[in-house]
Amino acid sequence: MQPVVFSGIQPSGQITLGNYLGALKQFVSVQGDATGYYCVVDMHAITVAQEPKQLRERIFDLASLYLAVGLDPNQSTLFVQSDVKEHAELGWIMQCVAYMGELSRMTQFKEKTEGKDGVSAGLFTYPALMAADILLYQTNLVPVGDDQRQHLELTRDLALRFNTRFGETFTVPEVLLMKEGARIMSLDDPMKKMSKSNPNPASRIEMLDTPDEIRKKISRAVTDSGREVRYDPEQKAAVANLLVIYSAVSGQTIEEVIKQYEGRGYGDFKKGLAEAVVSHLEPIQQRFHEIRSSGHVIDVLHDGATRAREAAQKTIDKVKRNVGLGANRA
Ligand code: AQP
């Protein structure tokens, strides 16, 4: 039997090149060999404030991007998290399985709340909902970027704890990481990951940026005081990050890119990188605009939610039976 693959992306901003290289690209690469569930995780997005009209638009943007990068709705199930209520239902149950201590250790929670007031309880329990998303589909593999590795480990711990306490219920999933591109860093600070909700738009390349925006952002990306294009993540983290991006979008190895820019300095390297990114994104953007204006994505999402619900209901029935919930006879 084909492995079940599940992953999700939050419609919490415009999708970045980091989201694409760390996650979306992997979704497509495993598509033929897996039963795929790809979700727009809108309930995760509201763990921080979202403007309702903008959120709705971003849901359709993200789903259209799923299609534009090559996900095929005849092969994969594409849907919106809040359209399948079993996510919320299992999310609550997983909150009752997770411990406060393990949720407090999540680095993403610490990073997202540092110095902030009015942090939602949902942001704290976010990893329990993420575990529910994955476990509902009896998932074998979860393609995500490196920043989600800790949440995946917690998901595995919760699945094992649940199975031990209530009997064999969930498949325990494995993480699927890209060899390169698993952690794309910000253009303005190579110590921070590229993120769609970073307040500085120049820190990221968005999938729908125009060619001129891409050229401008790359020309302003930080490098270092040297001029040699060399892969040294310790000493030259910013250049190493740009090399990873170059290699991922051009299909060349990092060594081939370095050879091409031997003795040519950062100016030429950045110009080449910008053109490589622009030409990689151009066909995706063209497909995106066609799909987005066709209205077809609504049908895809409705159909996907129906299929996802069927699978999710089987798991939630089993979970409730094993936990002893509800008034149904066993
Ligand atoms: N910089 C990155 N490099 C590689 N992969 C990345 N991902 C995110 N940033 C990078 C991967 O993209 C997927 C979607 O993640 P998400 O939307 O659930 O939230 P996130 O991981 O928190 O991503 P962002 O862009 O930083 O979103 P915000 O700013 O809203 O929190 C995941 O597989 C993630 O690993």
Side-chain angles (χ1 to χ4, degrees):
M1 246 195 2
Q2 285 191 325
V4 176
V5 173
F6 174 93
S7 200
I9 299 185
Q10 300 180 73
S12 47
Q14 291 303 331
I15 301 308
T16 71
L17 198 62
N19 299 135
Y20 171 65
L21 297 178
L24 273 170
K25 217 166 161 231
Q26 289 206 83
F27 301 175
V28 181
S29 69
V30 296
Q31 179 162 245
D33 310 311
T35 302
Y37 291 91
Y38 297 107
C39 189
V40 175
V41 288
D42 54 348
M43 294 201 297
H44 282 283
I46 61 164
T47 55
V48 298
Q50 303 291 342
E51 201 280 306
K53 272 206 188 105
Q54 192 177 47
L55 178 61
R56 178 63 52 76
E57 290 302 314
R58 283 176 173 168
I59 289 171
F60 291 122
D61 282 350
L62 177 50
S64 304
L65 202 55
Y66 278 178
L67 296 173
V69 298
L71 285 178
D72 173 357
N74 296 316
Q75 288 190 64
S76 302
T77 300
L78 312 183
F79 66 105
V80 181
Q81 184 186 29
S82 65
D83 286 339
V84 180
K85 66 177 173 35
E86 286 76 7
H87 286 256
E89 213 173 345
L90 186 58
W92 173 254
I93 297 170
M94 297 321 289
Q95 282 184 53
C96 299
V97 175
Y99 301 137
M100 295 283 286
E102 56 197 355
L103 293 175
S104 318
R105 285 194 291 277
M106 294 294 114
T107 51
Q108 184 167 302
F109 176 73
K110 290 186 205 161
E111 282 165 13
K112 286 200 167 179
T113 53
E114 212 177 323
K116 296 219 170 91
D117 290 328
V119 172
S120 75
L123 194 58
F124 183 67
T125 58
Y126 176 119
L129 179 59
M130 177 167 162
D133 299 339
I134 295 165
L135 299 177
L136 262 183
Y137 300 96
Q138 304 295 353
T139 301
N140 302 103
L141 293 170
V142 189
V144 283
D146 190 55
D147 61 317
Q148 293 295 337
R149 194 201 287 260
Q150 194 188 27
H151 288 161
L152 239 295
E153 273 159 20
L154 179 64
T155 299
R156 288 172 54 83
D157 289 346
L158 297 180
L160 287 166
R161 186 177 307 153
F162 190 102
N163 287 349
T164 306
R165 200 179 284 172
F166 300 108
E168 215 43 48
T169 310
F170 295 125
T171 302
V172 181
E174 307 278 340
V175 64
L176 189 65
L177 278 184
M178 277 311 238
K179 280 194 200 76
E180 264 144 26
R183 186 174 278 263
I184 300 295
M185 308 312 282
S186 285
L187 299 181
D188 63 338
D189 179 355
M191 296 298 121
K192 278 200 204 144
K193 75 158 188 152
M194 186 181 281
S195 193
K196 61 178 118 65
S197 60
N198 185 318
N200 177 13
S203 68
R204 59 179 173 268
I205 293 168
E206 296 177 2
M207 292 298 285
L208 302 177
D209 275 346
T210 63
D212 278 350
E213 283 166 335
I214 293 169
R215 289 184 188 110
K216 204 179 282 170
K217 285 178 181 180
I218 291 178
S219 76
R220 291 182 185 161
V222 296
T223 46
D224 53 50
S225 54
R227 65 181 309 276
E228 193 190 353
V229 178
R230 182 158 58 80
Y231 185 73
D232 182 347
E234 298 286 314
Q235 306 295 321
K236 293 165 81 74
V239 173
N241 183 46
L242 298 182
L243 274 167
V244 169
I245 296 175
Y246 203 134
S247 159
V249 296
S250 68
Q252 291 172 274
T253 63
I254 289 182
E255 291 70 35
E256 284 167 346
V257 179
I258 293 172
K259 206 158 188 326
Q260 192 179 332
Y261 289 96
E262 229 167 46
R264 289 173 58 186
Y266 294 156
D268 263 9
F269 170 59
K270 283 178 160 183
K271 274 192 197 129
L273 170 60
E275 294 320 309
V277 173
V278 166
S279 55
H280 188 90
L281 295 189
E282 237 164 20
I284 297 176
Q285 294 184 348
Q286 208 175 338
R287 280 195 297 275
F288 169 86
H289 291 298
E290 283 163 18
I291 293 164
R292 189 68 172 91
S293 56
S294 76
H296 167 60
V297 74
I298 299 190
D299 298 331
V300 168
L301 293 173
H302 280 186
D303 179 51
T306 306
R307 278 160 33 201
R309 235 176 262 131
E310 258 173 50
Q313 269 164 5
K314 282 192 194 133
T315 303
I316 203 79
D317 286 350
K318 189 169 170 191
V319 166
K320 288 172 78 174
R321 212 170 37 242
N322 291 358
V323 175
L325 291 169
N328 292 331
R329 287 185 197 283

